[in-house]
Tab-separated table of all heavy atoms in Angstrom:
chain	number	residue	atom	x	y	z
X	9	ARG	N	-1.101	-30.858	-21.688
X	9	ARG	CA	-1.188	-29.548	-20.958
X	9	ARG	C	-1.746	-29.857	-19.570
X	9	ARG	O	-1.357	-29.249	-18.555
X	9	ARG	CB	-2.159	-28.539	-21.623
X	9	ARG	CG	-2.743	-29.113	-22.881
X	9	ARG	CD	-3.348	-28.102	-23.793
X	9	ARG	NE	-3.739	-27.006	-23.136
X	9	ARG	CZ	-4.249	-25.904	-23.881
X	9	ARG	NH1	-4.080	-25.818	-25.175
X	9	ARG	NH2	-4.857	-24.945	-23.279
X	13	SER	N	-0.303	-28.541	-16.088
X	13	SER	CA	-1.120	-27.866	-15.031
X	13	SER	C	-1.084	-28.626	-13.774
X	13	SER	O	-0.880	-28.014	-12.735
X	13	SER	CB	-2.537	-27.864	-15.563
X	13	SER	OG	-3.383	-27.170	-14.659
X	18	ARG	N	-1.374	-29.516	-8.633
X	18	ARG	CA	-1.841	-30.782	-7.995
X	18	ARG	C	-0.728	-31.780	-7.847
X	18	ARG	O	-0.852	-32.755	-8.534
X	18	ARG	CB	-3.029	-31.354	-8.588
X	18	ARG	CG	-4.290	-30.706	-8.242
X	18	ARG	CD	-5.411	-31.029	-9.135
X	18	ARG	NE	-6.008	-29.889	-9.538
X	18	ARG	CZ	-7.209	-29.376	-9.118
X	18	ARG	NH1	-7.926	-30.152	-8.315
X	18	ARG	NH2	-7.693	-28.265	-9.574
X	39	TYR	N	10.072	-21.496	-19.131
X	39	TYR	CA	8.679	-21.354	-18.937
X	39	TYR	C	8.434	-20.842	-17.501
X	39	TYR	O	8.815	-21.540	-16.585
X	39	TYR	CB	7.873	-22.634	-19.205
X	39	TYR	CG	6.457	-22.611	-18.763
X	39	TYR	CD1	5.543	-21.834	-19.507
X	39	TYR	CD2	6.017	-23.356	-17.731
X	39	TYR	CE1	4.190	-21.809	-19.152
X	39	TYR	CE2	4.668	-23.337	-17.304
X	39	TYR	CZ	3.831	-22.585	-18.033
X	39	TYR	OH	2.403	-22.582	-17.711
X	43	ASP	N	0.480	-18.630	-16.357
X	43	ASP	CA	0.139	-17.323	-16.329
X	43	ASP	C	-0.921	-16.887	-15.309
X	43	ASP	O	-2.066	-17.491	-15.398
X	43	ASP	CB	-0.202	-16.858	-17.708
X	43	ASP	CG	-0.619	-15.460	-17.855
X	43	ASP	OD1	-1.386	-14.929	-17.038
X	43	ASP	OD2	-0.081	-14.843	-18.891
X	47	ARG	N	-4.972	-17.879	-15.525
X	47	ARG	CA	-5.559	-18.712	-14.405
X	47	ARG	C	-6.680	-17.989	-13.728
X	47	ARG	O	-7.817	-18.549	-13.439
X	47	ARG	CB	-4.439	-19.009	-13.396
X	47	ARG	CG	-5.011	-19.554	-12.115
X	47	ARG	CD	-3.950	-19.692	-11.044
X	47	ARG	NE	-3.082	-20.820	-11.345
X	47	ARG	CZ	-1.979	-21.030	-10.728
X	47	ARG	NH1	-1.606	-20.257	-9.732
X	47	ARG	NH2	-1.228	-22.134	-10.954
X	50	ARG	N	-9.853	-18.200	-15.745
X	50	ARG	CA	-10.423	-19.547	-15.586
X	50	ARG	C	-11.044	-19.829	-14.203
X	50	ARG	O	-12.167	-20.307	-14.180
X	50	ARG	CB	-9.308	-20.613	-16.055
X	50	ARG	CG	-9.799	-22.029	-16.037
X	50	ARG	CD	-10.815	-22.192	-17.129
X	50	ARG	NE	-11.978	-22.699	-16.545
X	50	ARG	CZ	-12.606	-23.826	-17.078
X	50	ARG	NH1	-12.117	-24.472	-18.147
X	50	ARG	NH2	-13.673	-24.290	-16.542
L	8	DC	P	-3.294	-18.326	-29.079
L	8	DC	OP1	-2.218	-18.299	-29.977
L	8	DC	OP2	-3.814	-19.659	-28.469
L	8	DC	O5'	-2.900	-17.358	-27.773
L	8	DC	C5'	-2.652	-16.043	-27.942
L	8	DC	C4'	-2.930	-15.280	-26.728
L	8	DC	O4'	-4.421	-15.108	-26.645
L	8	DC	C3'	-2.697	-16.119	-25.495
L	8	DC	O3'	-1.428	-15.809	-24.858
L	8	DC	C2'	-3.892	-15.730	-24.472
L	8	DC	C1'	-4.939	-15.057	-25.339
L	8	DC	N1	-6.196	-15.796	-25.595
L	8	DC	C2	-7.417	-15.178	-25.080
L	8	DC	O2	-7.420	-14.121	-24.646
L	8	DC	N3	-8.528	-15.924	-25.276
L	8	DC	C4	-8.594	-17.153	-25.804
L	8	DC	N4	-9.720	-17.735	-25.891
L	8	DC	C5	-7.323	-17.789	-26.193
L	8	DC	C6	-6.224	-17.061	-26.041
L	9	DG	P	-0.290	-16.751	-24.845
L	9	DG	OP1	0.941	-16.007	-24.573
L	9	DG	OP2	-0.414	-17.728	-25.985
L	9	DG	O5'	-0.647	-17.707	-23.564
L	9	DG	C5'	-0.726	-17.036	-22.312
L	9	DG	C4'	-1.501	-17.951	-21.363
L	9	DG	O4'	-2.836	-18.138	-21.873
L	9	DG	C3'	-0.862	-19.380	-21.310
L	9	DG	O3'	-0.429	-19.526	-19.952
L	9	DG	C2'	-2.017	-20.312	-21.705
L	9	DG	C1'	-3.265	-19.415	-21.422
L	9	DG	N9	-4.336	-19.708	-22.351
L	9	DG	C8	-4.238	-20.067	-23.640
L	9	DG	N7	-5.476	-20.357	-24.205
L	9	DG	C5	-6.317	-20.020	-23.153
L	9	DG	C6	-7.780	-20.060	-23.188
L	9	DG	O6	-8.563	-20.365	-24.123
L	9	DG	N1	-8.334	-19.791	-21.960
L	9	DG	C2	-7.541	-19.428	-20.786
L	9	DG	N2	-8.129	-19.139	-19.686
L	9	DG	N3	-6.176	-19.329	-20.802
L	9	DG	C4	-5.697	-19.709	-21.995
L	10	DC	P	-0.155	-20.907	-19.307
L	10	DC	OP1	0.833	-20.591	-18.157
L	10	DC	OP2	0.295	-21.879	-20.348
L	10	DC	O5'	-1.498	-21.394	-18.662
L	10	DC	C5'	-2.013	-20.631	-17.568
L	10	DC	C4'	-3.446	-20.914	-17.327
L	10	DC	O4'	-4.142	-20.964	-18.629
L	10	DC	C3'	-3.685	-22.323	-16.752
L	10	DC	O3'	-3.681	-22.101	-15.379
L	10	DC	C2'	-5.084	-22.743	-17.350
L	10	DC	C1'	-5.327	-21.718	-18.470
L	10	DC	N1	-5.601	-22.401	-19.825
L	10	DC	C2	-6.830	-22.629	-20.185
L	10	DC	O2	-7.704	-22.380	-19.388
L	10	DC	N3	-7.067	-23.208	-21.403
L	10	DC	C4	-6.020	-23.502	-22.173
L	10	DC	N4	-6.343	-24.034	-23.420
L	10	DC	C5	-4.692	-23.152	-21.819
L	10	DC	C6	-4.526	-22.665	-20.671
L	11	DT	P	-3.641	-23.388	-14.507
L	11	DT	OP1	-3.309	-22.988	-13.105
L	11	DT	OP2	-2.811	-24.502	-15.213
L	11	DT	O5'	-5.162	-23.987	-14.481
L	11	DT	C5'	-6.129	-23.033	-13.848
L	11	DT	C4'	-7.452	-23.723	-14.062
L	11	DT	O4'	-7.768	-23.942	-15.466
L	11	DT	C3'	-7.653	-25.055	-13.390
L	11	DT	O3'	-9.000	-25.035	-12.919
L	11	DT	C2'	-7.384	-26.053	-14.418
L	11	DT	C1'	-8.052	-25.322	-15.591
L	11	DT	N1	-7.624	-25.731	-16.983
L	11	DT	C2	-8.665	-26.030	-17.882
L	11	DT	O2	-9.906	-25.826	-17.685
L	11	DT	N3	-8.190	-26.250	-19.194
L	11	DT	C4	-6.880	-26.455	-19.530
L	11	DT	O4	-6.589	-26.711	-20.751
L	11	DT	C5	-5.895	-26.236	-18.520
L	11	DT	C7	-4.475	-26.300	-18.848
L	11	DT	C6	-6.386	-25.836	-17.261
L	12	DA	P	-9.446	-25.806	-11.606
L	12	DA	OP1	-9.835	-24.799	-10.595
L	12	DA	OP2	-8.459	-26.917	-11.408
L	12	DA	O5'	-10.814	-26.483	-12.115
L	12	DA	C5'	-11.802	-25.676	-12.750
L	12	DA	C4'	-12.803	-26.596	-13.422
L	12	DA	O4'	-12.337	-26.980	-14.679
L	12	DA	C3'	-13.105	-27.778	-12.618
L	12	DA	O3'	-14.573	-27.953	-12.649
L	12	DA	C2'	-12.344	-28.910	-13.366
L	12	DA	C1'	-12.367	-28.304	-14.815
L	12	DA	N9	-11.053	-28.666	-15.500
L	12	DA	C8	-9.802	-28.717	-14.913
L	12	DA	N7	-8.861	-28.984	-15.821
L	12	DA	C5	-9.523	-29.140	-16.984
L	12	DA	C6	-9.120	-29.475	-18.283
L	12	DA	N6	-7.822	-29.746	-18.661
L	12	DA	N1	-9.982	-29.614	-19.251
L	12	DA	C2	-11.313	-29.318	-18.941
L	12	DA	N3	-11.852	-29.052	-17.724
L	12	DA	C4	-10.894	-29.025	-16.787
L	13	DA	P	-15.261	-29.055	-11.842
L	13	DA	OP1	-16.264	-28.436	-11.062
L	13	DA	OP2	-14.317	-29.929	-11.201
L	13	DA	O5'	-15.943	-29.931	-12.974
L	13	DA	C5'	-15.253	-30.150	-14.112
L	13	DA	C4'	-16.123	-30.889	-15.126
L	13	DA	O4'	-15.273	-31.060	-16.203
L	13	DA	C3'	-16.650	-32.316	-14.796
L	13	DA	O3'	-17.751	-32.676	-15.552
L	13	DA	C2'	-15.408	-33.159	-15.108
L	13	DA	C1'	-14.657	-32.419	-16.288
L	13	DA	N9	-13.269	-32.341	-16.209
L	13	DA	C8	-12.568	-32.233	-15.166
L	13	DA	N7	-11.206	-32.299	-15.380
L	13	DA	C5	-11.221	-32.479	-16.720
L	13	DA	C6	-10.083	-32.578	-17.631
L	13	DA	N6	-8.834	-32.564	-17.219
L	13	DA	N1	-10.406	-32.894	-18.915
L	13	DA	C2	-11.571	-32.972	-19.281
L	13	DA	N3	-12.783	-32.714	-18.599
L	13	DA	C4	-12.467	-32.528	-17.281
L	14	DC	P	-18.591	-34.109	-15.113
L	14	DC	OP1	-19.926	-33.837	-15.528
L	14	DC	OP2	-18.231	-34.419	-13.667
L	14	DC	O5'	-17.757	-35.024	-16.052
L	14	DC	C5'	-17.742	-34.822	-17.500
L	14	DC	C4'	-16.709	-35.561	-18.152
L	14	DC	O4'	-15.472	-35.149	-17.592
L	14	DC	C3'	-16.745	-37.084	-17.904
L	14	DC	O3'	-17.170	-37.596	-19.207
L	14	DC	C2'	-15.370	-37.430	-17.619
L	14	DC	C1'	-14.516	-36.244	-17.907
L	14	DC	N1	-13.205	-36.065	-17.215
L	14	DC	C2	-12.071	-36.078	-17.929
L	14	DC	O2	-12.036	-36.254	-19.185
L	14	DC	N3	-10.860	-35.945	-17.280
L	14	DC	C4	-10.873	-35.845	-15.969
L	14	DC	N4	-9.769	-35.680	-15.279
L	14	DC	C5	-12.122	-35.790	-15.179
L	14	DC	C6	-13.230	-35.857	-15.862
Side-chain angles (χ1 to χ4, degrees):
Chain X
R9 2 197 329 171
S13 180
R18 277 167 231 255
Y39 171 68
D43 180 310
R47 166 186 286 172
R50 183 64 236 234

